[in-house]
Amino acid sequence: MNKFLLSVHVLAAIIFIGPVTVAASMFPPVARRELAADRPETAVLRVLHRISNVYAVGGIAVPVFGLAVGAGLGVLGEVWLIVSMGLTALAAGVLLLAVLPTQAEVLAVAGQDGEARAALLPRARKLSMTTGIFGLLWATVTVLMIIRPGSTTGV
């Protein structure tokens, strides 16, 4: 059963976390370009925001199945896993409290007059850093999952 749960956990990470990380990181440069444009086009921004939202919801499967695997293997008290769970919660917080709301704010303003768009440019620039932190958190969790202390892989 653990192999099945681990397979679902890894597949969910690939299918959901990868796309939300890519879409979130693609959003800021497109947002800066569109906010500075005379006639902004919001179609790409809307798609990237939709991907970020939908895949964020699907991403809930990753920690759910991860906890099931950890419980099945009896490693829920291991430091590397506790750190990973903390970083996962932090990444979720960054996505839900910073990335997605800022994306929504950019979309709401992108169709307005030039002054409103220009005023939002600094937030779009800051969003690049925020999405970078989000990606770095997930990269760190991935490394901890691969090179975990006490691994049975012998690495």
Side-chain angles (χ1 to χ4, degrees), residues 119-142:
L120 199 57
L121 269 170
R123 296 223 355 123
R125 287 186 189 105
K126 183 179 176 189
L127 185 58
S128 294
M129 180 189 66
T130 307
T131 58
I133 291 168
F134 174 70
L136 184 60
L137 287 167
W138 277 118
T140 304
V141 170
T142 302

Side-chain angles (χ1 to χ4, degrees), residues 22-105:
V22 171
S25 68
M26 290 175 67
F27 190 95
V30 175
R32 288 190 308 272
R33 184 182 69 231
E34 295 305 330
L35 289 172
D38 290 334
R39 293 182 182 195
E41 293 290 330
T42 61
V44 173
L45 289 174
R46 290 188 191 291
V47 168
L48 292 172
H49 182 58
R50 177 113 171 114
I51 290 169
S52 297
N53 274 305
V54 170
Y55 283 77
V57 172
I60 294 169
V62 177
V64 168
F65 282 95
L67 284 169
V69 171
L73 295 175
V75 294
L76 288 179
E78 300 270 338
V79 173
W80 64 270
L81 189 57
I82 293 168
V83 170
S84 293
M85 289 187 293
L87 292 174
T88 297
L90 186 58
V94 168
L95 181 64
L96 296 174
L97 300 174
V99 174
L100 295 177
T102 304
Q103 286 182 352
E105 186 179 358

